[in-house]
Amino acid sequence: MDQSDRSDRLPTTEAAVTALHAIAAECGREIEVTHDIGADQTSRRSAAGFGVTADPDGSLPHEAYAEFGGVPRVSVRLYPDDDAVITVEGVAFHDLPRDDVPAFLRAVFGGLAHVRARRFPPTASLVVPLPGDRTYKEHLSASFLTPWLSGRIR
């Protein structure tokens, strides 16, 4: 499916934050969100001069950080560049397209995320399947397994 045909587009950070609140309500989770607005406040604009809030094109970059209550521990950092970092039980998934964030969270909260482990060589990965045969996978140390991760080993 072409990205431009997707009905779940999240064109702004604010739209993504609204989607996060909806997912928290669906899953019965508390959510706490903080916002950083302006080039002098966002983490990827550290080269902005003192007091410079707008990008060269005149726009105000908007970044948000959300933490979900409950287990698994999940946090989301939404960047103004249409990408995100989602951390699940200490395992960070970097450079996720912002449009994939809702499906990713529904997979985690819905019990689809699992740990794929091998005995030899000893390796483990947190696997998060999304609709459309898309999968995100991050390597993790077997000694790093939290109780939630240990309960999802396949």
Side-chain angles (χ1 to χ4, degrees):
M1 170 173 24
D2 186 322
Q3 290 286 356
S4 62
D5 295 335
R6 293 180 59 158
S7 61
D8 58 345
R9 291 271 306 141
L10 299 172
T12 64
T13 300
E14 193 58 41
V17 169
T18 300
L20 295 182
H21 280 287
I23 291 166
E26 284 173 26
C27 300
R29 302 256 178 166
E30 291 184 15
I31 185 172
E32 186 175 320
V33 180
T34 57
H35 298 267
D36 294 316
I37 300 174
D40 60 340
Q41 299 296 311
T42 57
S43 63
R44 291 188 177 170
R45 305 287 200 296
S46 59
F50 180 74
V52 176
T53 58
D55 279 344
D57 66 359
S59 65
L60 282 174
H62 179 190
E63 184 175 296
Y65 178 77
E67 286 185 295
F68 289 86
V71 176
R73 292 172 300 136
V74 176
S75 65
V76 179
R77 179 164 301 280
L78 300 164
Y79 293 105
D81 303 325
D82 294 338
D83 66 327
V85 173
I86 299 179
T87 305
V88 179
E89 287 291 311
V91 181
F93 291 80
H94 293 274
D95 300 322
L96 293 169
R98 185 166 51 202
D99 293 341
D100 283 350
V101 170
F104 188 101
L105 293 173
R106 284 186 179 99
V108 170
F109 295 145
L112 296 176
H114 60 276
V115 174
R116 184 176 301 143
R118 291 191 339 200
R119 293 182 195 262
F120 190 81
T123 61
S125 298
L126 179 56
V127 179
V128 182
L130 272 57
D133 292 331
R134 294 175 296 147
T135 302
Y136 288 101
K137 179 171 44 171
E138 281 296 326
H139 176 75
L140 52 111
S141 168
S143 63
F144 180 70
L145 293 177
T146 66
W148 184 85
L149 289 168
S150 295
R152 273 138 193 86
I153 294 176
R154 287 189 183 173

